[in-house]
Amino acid sequence: MEKLIITAAICGAEVTKEHNPAVPYTVEELVREAVSAYDAGAAIVHVHVREDDGTPTQNKERFRVCMDAIKKERPDVILLPSTGGAVGMTAEERLQPTELFPEMATLDCGTCNFGDEVFENTIPMMRDFGKRMMENNIKPEYECFEMGHLETALHLASKGQVPGAPMQFNFVLGVPGCASASVENLVWMVNRIPAGSTWTATGIGRSEFTLAAHAIAMGGHVRVGFEDNLYLSRGVLAKSNGELVEKVVQMAKLLGREIATPAEARKILNLKPL
Ligand code: KMH
Ligand code: ZN
């Protein structure tokens, strides 16, 4: 089986220090969490940024400062900034990190309930985001929260309106209001992606590690991190993103999967070598 790519979603836009004091806001905190995840075995860091008071932002300069600071500490890490931002942000606001020409960025694949809110990703928005990524040579990670999201991404790719093969999908399961983190849902999605695609599974909340176990066994890749889950085990808050990554590394070891370095991850994902 291919080596396992671990992505660390270290921050997100919704979780706060009230949920877990280790959630990063400042540049220094973001670097601390990225380094802890990388050193534990993450090849990719999914980046959201905050103002120092914790307010989520898609400000290009804030992204530049944070991503440069992470790269300074761990130059070969793959950075995957968010174009999802926080619920309610405009498309233009959300697209700002693409102006920094990252290797990858998220592309969210459909409007959906997101807890009590609505996360807007209309088809025209997806076309605009896809066009920007083609222009700026960015490989999208297609974020699918629902079954129809996957079909929408495949349809737009078949029309050449978003970047096509080889595609990288992230099946984010367990968001309240979206598809649950069941093995049946994961298998349904994995069975529909074109040959040559790659995929990652992200389980939200308490399903983070159970979904990771399925993905490790099925040959997919895994995302963990504070964006998705704050606990190492029931009732035990994780002290760092590194602790969450380390748990996946241990699970992979038990199941016989080796961990991909960033260079190996670039090969698997068809990114240019550094
Ligand atoms: N914060 C969520 C509303 C992404 O990064 O592209 C969306 C999100 C997805 O986090
Ligand atoms: Zn995100």
Side-chain angles (χ1 to χ4, degrees), residues 13-14 46 48 82-87 106 108 114 119 143 145 227:
E14 289 79 24
H46 170 49
H48 284 254
S82 173
T83 68
V87 168
T106 60
D108 295 283
F114 208 88
F119 183 31
E143 310 296 311
F145 302 88
E227 177 166 349

Side-chain angles (χ1 to χ4, degrees), residues 12 16 27 36 47 50 63-64 82 98 117 129 150 164 168 170 187 191-192 204 214 216 222 231 234 245 266:
T16 69
V27 180
S36 83
V47 186
R50 308 285 186 94
F63 264 100
R64 190 199 306 278
S82 173
T98 62
E117 302 184 286
F129 282 43
L150 170 57
Q168 156 65 11
N170 181 15
V187 169
N191 282 343
R192 272 157 190 81
I204 301 299
H214 294 312
I216 295 168
V222 170
Y231 291 88
R234 201 181 170 88
V245 172
R266 282 188 177 85

